[in-house]
Amino acid sequence: MVAMAPADQAMVSAWMSGWYNQKLGYNWVDLAAFRRNEANIMKYCADHPKDQLMGVIQAAVNQMQKKQ
């Protein structure tokens, strides 16, 4: 994801956030959480460029669900 143009990063981040939040049953937008999650995913992707985006996001969602 870090290799994408900034506009493409923003579009993918927004779409993926909406898709996963809907999947988890959320029907509101928490902009602070979105920005925090986006930054965490971008950092992870920069540190692990060979990992696939969907796997990274799913692992983050799984980790979040364990904390709840």
Side-chain angles (χ1 to χ4, degrees):
M1 187 153 138
V2 293
M4 294 178 180
D8 292 337
Q9 290 175 355
M11 182 64 70
V12 170
S13 294
W15 192 89
M16 295 303 296
S17 175
W19 190 77
Y20 269 97
N21 279 290
Q22 181 278 330
K23 190 175 173 184
L24 295 170
Y26 298 119
N27 59 1
W28 66 91
V29 176
D30 181 340
L31 292 177
F34 170 74
R35 294 292 177 213
R36 185 176 57 249
N37 293 337
E38 181 182 40
N40 289 338
I41 295 294
M42 292 295 289
K43 181 176 180 342
Y44 186 92
C45 287
D47 293 343
H48 303 89
K50 293 187 186 251
D51 289 0
Q52 300 230 346
L53 180 59
M54 291 298 288
V56 171
I57 295 171
Q58 187 62 55
V61 168
N62 293 344
Q63 186 178 30
M64 180 193 72
Q65 288 179 317
K66 286 181 186 178
K67 291 180 180 181
Q68 291 179 350

